[in-house]
Amino acid sequence: MALTLFRGIHTRPLLPYSSAFSARKHVIFCSMQSTQTETSMKTKQQAPSNFTETARAKAVEKVLKDYEAIIGIETHVQLSTTTKAFCGCAYTYGSQPNSCVCPVCMGLPGALPVLNSKVIKCAVMLGLALNCKLSLSSKFDRKQYFYPDLPKGYQISQFDIPIATNGFIDVDLPLEFGGGHRRFGITRVHMEEDAGKLLHTGSGPYSQVDLNRAGVPLLEIVSEPDMRTGIEAAEYAAELQRVVRYLGVGNGNMQEGSLRCDVNVSIRPIGQLEFGTKVEIKNLNSFSAMSRAIDFEIARQAELYNQGQADEIVQETRLWEEGSQKTFTMRKKEGLADYRYFPEPDLPEVVLTEEYVNGIRESLPELPEMKRRRYEEMGLTMQDILFLANDVNVAEFFDATIAKVPDIKLAANWIMGDIAAYMKNEKLSINEIKLSPQELSELITSIKSGTISGKIGKEILIELMKKGGTVKGLIEEKDLVQIVDPVEIEKIIDKVIANNPKQLEQYRGGKTKLQGFFAGQVMKESKGKANPGLVNKILIEKLNAKS
Amino acid sequence: MGTRALLLLTPAFKSDCNLLNHFTKYGFHQTVRQQEKLFRVGVRKFSVHSSLERPNVARLAETARISLTPQEAEEFAPKIQQVVDWFGQLQDVDLQSIEPAIRPDTEAGSFREDNPEAFDNREAIIAAIPNYEEPYIKVPKVLNKD
Ligand SMILES: [Zn+2]
């Protein structure tokens, strides 16, 4: 079931469906979905068939009866600073290759790095949001390796004294995957710089290098090996993305590579204390890919165990291939890489004062977990909570709507129903539609007070989302005020009955189903403005009256 | 120079006290304080300078991607050994009563605001690239990182 739904994400990765049923279904994956505008990179490829998905789900389920999977995740978050970490080059995704470069990020001799203070701010924000202990003094180190995307021959990173350690992140698993609350440990968060981009496009003996990204600030977040299933891992990553977006420290876009996850997976027979050999998986471009890759890897390793070939599980890096839905060996690790770390002599120690940290702590926004718990206290269902809190902009829209009209359930229904459906169809985010939270609350008030009918409300909503304007303005302009005067409704009903003598005869002859026909005609005659409750009440009286 | 010497030294450091082996993927359970202590303990362990391993010049050259002839390697060995011995002397200094520092410098916090500043001689940088084909830098085809 769970995995079949992932197939849904894969092929139709966007917004909720319009029908009530699908809108509910959307919640399943909304919490793992990256953004509303992101499309899955591999949509062109054939999605796995239902059959294989179900088979895989069953295989993993079976495996987990005998084995325990141990999953840890390393995540790189690109920070949305204006400039790079150690030089004043402005970085924008998609710029002309090799245009945002200078002697510092090109690693030219004599160039000296100077740390961007915004990087520290972002690191402290994320460290606090992940409930970490902050190191009031930390330092940078050089991690040496040779690769063409690394101009200096070393990456400036943090080795033995990272800026933040020992934290945790709280996650609510989607109901469709069994639900439940989980807490996953965060080992450390450290600051480092990104490398450039290497392209292997041409068929010639050359690779192409673009150094725009070289020196762009990253935060690396290392989790404890606390996850046990692909779903848990994907939810961990999705929550990290939410935190990054709520804080505004990065855009968390997986397709652009602004959020990159490398996953370590090992399995061990249940009851065994020592860990199995862990395998690293790369090339995970979406949360669903992460979940599927992990499940594949668990099943692959279990198969080797079952066949007495556990020694064939070796420490290696495997790549996830979306097309075949399999992982493949990228390289075997022969001994641990020797990065010859040593303290970066060109950068001073990073010292944080208590006041600085407290200032940031006090200015932190409400985080996803806090929001979910608040929504829970307000009485929303977990399904609603996960939908609304998934996207920080949707959550803010919801909060602004209920600030004026405290009808929480109605506001949630409008946002998750008609508004989400419209956003999906038009491929717009909630900030791009013309409707403001103020007008949504005005709309809800107008319906509750009976000024307009629910049906008219839906029509006005579309207008508001498309063109903007105010509820009051539209009601006046289009003369949409609901007819609640029984005398006026009676007049319309009389007219409709007079115009349909044949149907009246049939009704009175026992075909009472025709009441719906009459009600429809009355609504049509009143241009949808007649109060439906009154229409039905008066209509029944009239139809059943002996003339 | 200090930097270079340290760089050459690191492998010896590693094999001697397993300092780097304390760092594993999930090995950062200790708090920073504990890490510092660990580090200090590591250093203490070295304070007998005779325990420093002789540098393996061939391996150092390999990790630095430098080609050395056997003659050159033989020539370098005693020079590198001298530097190693010099560090051995430094480690003999009694620091029991000294508060450890993360960095040797005292001035901290010279940061930059997040304001863009374009480098105005990009052409010169691009012109200095040995193999450039607008808009990319060309390098021999590489697929695996090690
Ligand atoms: Zn630069």
Side-chain angles (χ1 to χ4, degrees):
Chain A
M1 163 70 183
L3 297 151
T4 316
L5 284 164
F6 259 138
R7 182 176 165 257
I9 306 174
H10 186 61
T11 47
R12 291 170 296 184
L14 289 182
L15 286 177
Y17 307 100
S18 42
S19 80
F21 172 71
S22 318
R24 207 171 306 129
K25 220 166 77 180
H26 170 69
V27 177
I28 298 155
F29 55 86
C30 75
S31 83
M32 287 187 200
Q33 173 197 318
S34 333
T35 59
Q36 284 150 352
T37 44
E38 268 175 31
T39 42
S40 165
M41 240 173 106
K42 309 283 185 182
T43 35
K44 274 181 211 148
Q45 270 158 338
Q46 195 66 41
S49 75
N50 251 331
F51 174 74
T52 35
E53 284 298 284
T54 316
R56 195 169 56 77
K58 284 208 175 122
V60 169
E61 217 168 274
K62 197 166 154 245
V63 162
L64 293 177
K65 284 193 183 116
D66 301 323
Y67 298 97
E68 180 185 38
I70 311 286
I71 303 158
I73 303 176
E74 279 169 42
T75 310
H76 286 89
V77 170
Q78 196 179 81
L79 299 180
S80 51
T81 52
T82 308
T83 65
K84 294 186 179 184
F86 302 110
C87 62
C89 290
Y91 169 76
T92 323
Y93 180 81
S95 301
Q96 172 75 359
N98 294 302
S99 62
C100 327
V101 291
C102 77
V104 175
C105 55
M106 291 281 281
L108 299 189
L112 286 173
V114 184
L115 179 60
N116 182 346
S117 55
K118 187 86 180 285
V119 175
I120 302 172
K121 190 181 173 200
C122 292
V124 171
M125 284 171 84
L126 190 65
L128 291 173
L130 296 177
N131 311 290
C132 289
K133 286 196 185 78
L134 292 176
S135 311
L136 290 183
S137 59
S138 67
K139 67 177 171 80
F140 284 100
D141 300 278
R142 290 186 180 181
K143 176 181 177 177
Q144 348 256 333
Y145 64 88
F146 292 92
Y147 208 61
D149 61 8
L150 190 72
K152 297 192 292 293
Y154 58 83
Q155 177 193 29
I156 301 179
S157 182
Q158 293 194 292
F159 178 49
D160 53 345
I161 310 177
I163 190 155
T165 52
N166 276 321
F168 60 85
I169 192 167
D170 286 310
V171 167
D172 285 295
L173 295 182
L175 301 174
E176 288 71 14
F177 301 131
H181 189 265
R182 297 276 189 286
R183 176 167 287 183
F184 300 124
I186 302 288
T187 311
R188 56 183 278 160
V189 177
H190 72 251
M191 304 179 277
E192 61 182 29
E193 59 177 337
D194 209 343
K197 255 186 203 157
L198 200 52
L199 298 102
H200 312 287
T201 39
S203 54
Y206 291 98
S207 291
Q208 295 170 314
V209 188
D210 170 13
L211 292 179
N212 280 348
R213 207 180 60 183
V216 167
L218 300 176
L219 292 179
E220 180 176 325
I221 301 115
V222 181
S223 83
E224 289 288 302
D226 287 350
M227 282 67 77
R228 294 291 173 268
T229 63
I231 295 298
E232 286 187 357
E235 264 308 317
Y236 162 86
E239 182 68 7
L240 208 48
Q241 182 188 57
R242 278 188 283 273
V243 170
V244 162
R245 289 180 175 170
Y246 271 60
L247 291 173
V249 298
N251 69 27
N253 186 326
M254 284 184 110
Q255 271 70 52
E256 283 178 13
S258 314
L259 183 90
R260 309 195 279 268
C261 296
D262 298 335
V263 174
N264 286 297
V265 183
S266 70
I267 66 168
R268 61 182 172 189
I270 285 174
Q272 180 182 306
L273 280 179
E274 74 185 276
F275 290 127
T277 306
K278 72 180 179 217
V279 168
E280 185 181 33
I281 313 172
K282 285 182 183 278
N283 197 31
L284 302 170
N285 291 314
S286 66
F287 299 131
S288 72
M290 185 184 278
S291 177
R292 283 178 282 125
I294 289 169
D295 285 346
F296 172 86
E297 190 56 27
I298 292 171
R300 186 188 72 86
Q301 294 182 20
E303 190 59 23
L304 288 169
Y305 260 103
N306 288 339
Q307 297 185 345
Q309 297 174 311
D311 56 339
E312 279 185 29
I313 304 169
V314 292
Q315 202 173 345
E316 61 176 339
T317 301
R318 296 178 72 88
L319 282 188
W320 171 248
E321 270 192 26
E322 200 66 51
S324 60
Q325 298 284 299
K326 285 181 170 143
T327 62
F328 290 96
T329 297
M330 179 171 112
R331 59 168 184 269
K332 309 252 183 209
K333 287 190 175 169
E334 284 148 14
L336 281 173
D338 180 2
Y339 292 120
R340 294 160 296 138
Y341 280 98
F342 71 85
E344 166 58 82
D346 291 339
L347 287 166
E349 142 182 18
V350 177
V351 177
L352 310 173
T353 63
E354 293 279 359
E355 298 102 279
Y356 177 79
V357 173
N358 289 338
I360 290 179
R361 185 182 281 119
E362 276 150 30
S363 66
L364 284 182
E366 185 181 40
L367 293 163
E369 170 68 7
M370 293 148 80
K371 218 176 254 299
R372 288 194 299 264
R373 297 288 78 86
R374 181 163 64 81
Y375 287 172
E376 199 170 31
E377 271 172 35
M378 278 163 38
L380 286 171
T381 65
M382 187 47 74
Q383 200 168 283
D384 294 357
I385 294 168
L386 293 181
F387 181 97
L388 294 169
N390 181 48
D391 180 331
V392 63
N393 296 318
V394 171
E396 275 168 12
F397 192 98
F398 173 71
D399 286 338
T401 304
I402 58 168
K404 287 218 172 147
V405 188
D407 195 322
I408 291 149
K409 189 61 196 169
L410 272 181
N413 287 349
W414 279 103
I415 292 172
M416 292 171 63
D418 293 57
I419 297 175
Y422 176 81
M423 279 156 49
K424 186 208 169 208
N425 288 336
E426 305 294 316
K427 295 190 168 59
L428 293 173
S429 74
I430 202 151
N431 294 347
E432 288 165 328
I433 61 173
K434 300 273 168 55
L435 171 76
S436 68
Q438 288 68 34
E439 289 311 312
L440 177 58
S441 62
E442 188 66 40
L443 187 71
I444 294 170
T445 311
S446 303
I447 296 170
K448 280 185 81 173
S449 68
T451 310
I452 53 170
S453 66
K455 187 169 174 285
I456 297 279
K458 280 179 184 259
E459 282 164 26
I460 290 182
L461 181 78
I462 298 287
E463 189 91 5
L464 290 170
M465 289 191 291
K466 267 190 196 145
K467 297 178 187 157
T470 65
V471 174
K472 277 195 178 122
L474 280 174
I475 291 174
E476 272 172 37
E477 183 190 314
K478 304 203 163 187
D479 185 25
L480 296 171
V481 177
Q482 183 165 237
I483 305 168
V484 288
D485 180 357
V487 178
E488 206 167 321
I489 291 177
E490 204 177 329
K491 272 187 211 160
I492 300 168
I493 291 176
D494 286 342
K495 190 180 169 197
V496 167
I497 289 178
N499 286 344
N500 298 282
K502 213 173 141 191
Q503 282 84 351
L504 181 68
E505 201 179 306
Q506 287 174 338
Y507 178 90
R508 289 183 175 162
K511 225 177 161 191
T512 50
K513 267 197 294 184
L514 279 169
Q515 190 201 322
F517 162 79
F518 283 103
Q521 292 299 307
V522 172
M523 290 313 282
K524 200 173 161 192
E525 184 68 28
S526 72
K527 299 192 183 75
K529 293 187 293 180
N531 177 294
L534 281 174
V535 167
N536 279 326
K537 188 170 162 271
I538 300 171
L539 189 60
I540 290 171
E541 285 168 12
K542 291 267 171 188
L543 288 173
N544 294 338
K546 293 289 164 209
S547 52
Chain B
M1 178 58 205
T3 303
R4 180 64 44 91
L6 256 173
L7 183 142
L8 291 168
L9 254 176
T10 319
F13 242 89
K14 185 188 162 191
S15 53
D16 244 24
C17 76
N18 278 333
L19 189 63
L20 292 183
N21 291 350
H22 291 296
F23 174 77
T24 56
K25 276 273 142 67
Y26 303 116
F28 275 82
H29 299 280
Q30 300 92 344
T31 62
V32 173
R33 280 284 147 231
Q34 282 167 321
Q35 281 286 340
E36 278 172 23
K37 234 182 268 162
L38 198 86
F39 189 83
R40 266 175 279 152
V41 170
V43 173
R44 285 286 172 270
K45 254 166 66 185
F46 276 92
S47 53
V48 187
H49 93 251
S50 56
S51 75
L52 286 178
E53 201 177 75
R54 292 189 64 79
N56 179 341
V57 180
R59 179 166 154 64
L60 290 178
E62 193 197 323
T63 49
R65 303 293 193 273
I66 296 168
S67 312
L68 292 182
T69 62
Q71 288 80 4
E72 283 172 319
E74 207 171 303
E75 213 175 290
F76 278 125
K79 292 180 186 167
I80 295 167
Q81 185 63 53
Q82 270 182 346
V83 180
V84 172
D85 288 346
W86 181 59
F87 273 88
Q89 279 178 45
L90 287 176
Q91 278 154 7
D92 277 341
V93 177
D94 180 12
L95 299 171
Q96 284 310 334
S97 58
I98 309 290
E99 196 54 32
I102 295 179
R103 306 275 295 116
D105 46 42
T106 45
E107 43 99 35
S110 48
F111 306 130
R112 184 171 60 76
E113 291 303 307
D114 188 24
N115 299 325
E117 202 179 313
F119 179 68
D120 55 18
N121 201 0
R122 185 183 154 270
E123 291 68 31
I125 298 186
I126 299 296
I129 295 169
N131 204 350
Y132 182 77
E133 200 174 87
E134 184 71 29
Y136 293 105
I137 298 165
K138 273 169 82 178
V139 295
K141 198 152 210 151
V142 262
L143 290 168
N144 275 352
K145 190 182 279 193
D146 262 313

